[in-house]
Amino acid sequence: MKSYKKIQANVDSSLALQAEGIFQDIGLNTTTAINVFLKKVVATGGIPFELKETPEQKASRELIQSISKIPHKEAKTKKE
């Protein structure tokens, strides 16, 4: 007999509603969709799709890296 483990996650409500609508359109409920995802993780030995940063995240990271390379001097007094 199978045993089940309850999994709870906090998800943005708007995102959840959008996803539920798509699941419904393809004949799934959220529980089934999550089970499909978990089975694919096990079958592939990892996340079954590529995870990449967005162009905005990349630009932000590159900006921070560039700024950190600018030479600077620590101020030791208020005047500095």
Side-chain angles (χ1 to χ4, degrees):
M1 189 162 114
K2 279 188 179 182
S3 65
Y4 292 89
K5 176 178 176 72
K6 185 174 186 168
I7 297 174
Q8 292 182 316
N10 293 319
V11 181
D12 178 270
S13 57
S14 175
L15 175 63
L17 288 171
Q18 290 174 42
E20 287 169 359
I22 294 168
F23 298 153
Q24 187 177 27
D25 288 347
I26 60 176
L28 300 175
N29 61 35
T30 302
T31 299
T32 302
I34 292 170
N35 276 301
V36 168
F37 171 74
L38 294 175
K39 287 178 182 182
K40 191 70 169 180
V41 167
V42 171
T44 61
I47 302 295
F49 47 82
E50 187 175 5
L51 297 174
K52 298 190 309 187
E53 63 188 355
T54 65
E56 293 82 10
Q57 290 169 322
K58 182 178 180 183
S60 177
R61 179 179 48 79
E62 289 172 348
L63 178 61
I64 291 168
Q65 288 174 342
S66 296
I67 290 171
S68 69
K69 292 177 184 176
I70 297 172
H72 62 282
K73 177 182 164 187
E74 291 272 330
K76 296 180 184 173
T77 66
K78 287 183 181 180
K79 187 174 183 178
E80 290 181 331

